[in-house]
Amino acid sequence: SIFFSMMGFVSSYVVFITMNLGRLVTAWGLDYGYSATDAEHINTWIAGGILFVILVLLVWVRDISKFAIFHIFGDVVIFGSLVVIMVFASQQISDQGGFGEGFTPINEESFLQTIGMAIYAFEGVGVVLPLHEQMREKKDFWKVMILGMV
């Protein structure tokens, strides 16, 4: 069960990264072949295969402390992205004099689906299983889990 769940996460991750790299290369004006047509779609499969091989090689690294600099770089990029998004959103709200017509902060129709997706995304991937293993009182796990989700 965990094997198939992880394979699903890895497969969707490879497709996500491949598609975004294709969009990035296309935005730079290079002929990557990123398109929905069958003739050009093969390049996306090749790029995904190459990415998969790179990820397999990275999995074999035993001492992940060697990747610390990349982790710090990733944190800086994430923080920079958040700043850009907040500045852009603040400018949009300021220019419109509010949130605008039709703004819905919570979509009541799919709110429960969002919670279910969040629980699925964190299930076993690196949050729930290590949390369960580190608990002194394993019988209190579900209390902590539910409190954390709330």
Side-chain angles (χ1 to χ4, degrees), residues 9-32:
F9 282 121
V10 169
S11 300
S12 61
Y13 179 72
V14 168
V15 169
F16 174 76
I17 295 297
T18 302
M19 301 302 263
N20 283 326
L21 285 175
R23 289 184 185 114
L24 179 68
V25 170
T26 302
W28 285 344
L30 302 173
D31 184 19
Y32 171 70

Side-chain angles (χ1 to χ4, degrees), residues 2-146:
I2 290 177
F3 172 78
F4 292 115
S5 175
M6 297 313 273
M7 284 303 294
F9 282 121
V10 169
S11 300
S12 61
Y13 179 72
V14 168
V15 169
F16 174 76
I17 295 297
T18 302
M19 301 302 263
N20 283 326
L21 285 175
R23 289 184 185 114
L24 179 68
V25 170
T26 302
W28 285 344
L30 302 173
D31 184 19
Y32 171 70
Y34 174 72
S35 175
T37 63
D38 290 335
E40 295 176 341
H41 202 64
I42 190 70
N43 290 340
T44 304
W45 281 98
I46 293 170
I50 292 169
L51 179 64
F52 189 77
V53 169
I54 291 170
L55 290 174
V56 167
L57 294 174
L58 287 174
V59 167
W60 288 342
V61 176
R62 298 293 242 163
D63 183 15
I64 63 171
S65 66
K66 294 181 182 354
F67 298 127
I69 190 71
F70 298 109
H71 180 77
I72 293 169
F73 174 73
D75 288 343
V76 169
V77 169
I78 289 170
F79 181 73
S81 299
L82 287 173
V83 168
V84 168
I85 289 169
M86 295 302 290
V87 168
F88 179 75
S90 299
Q91 286 177 344
Q92 289 290 101
I93 292 169
S94 175
D95 292 346
Q96 294 177 1
F99 289 109
E101 293 182 32
F103 175 76
T104 307
I106 297 175
N107 185 349
E108 296 173 2
E109 294 174 8
S110 64
F111 178 68
L112 292 176
Q113 183 180 4
T114 303
I115 291 176
M117 185 61 77
I119 291 172
Y120 174 74
F122 290 116
E123 180 266 327
V125 174
V127 176
V128 176
L129 292 177
L131 179 65
H132 185 266
E133 291 300 316
Q134 293 298 320
M135 295 215 32
R136 288 185 196 139
E137 300 292 329
K138 297 204 188 301
K139 64 181 167 86
D140 294 334
F141 170 72
W142 285 107
K143 293 178 193 173
V144 173
M145 176 72 177
I146 290 171

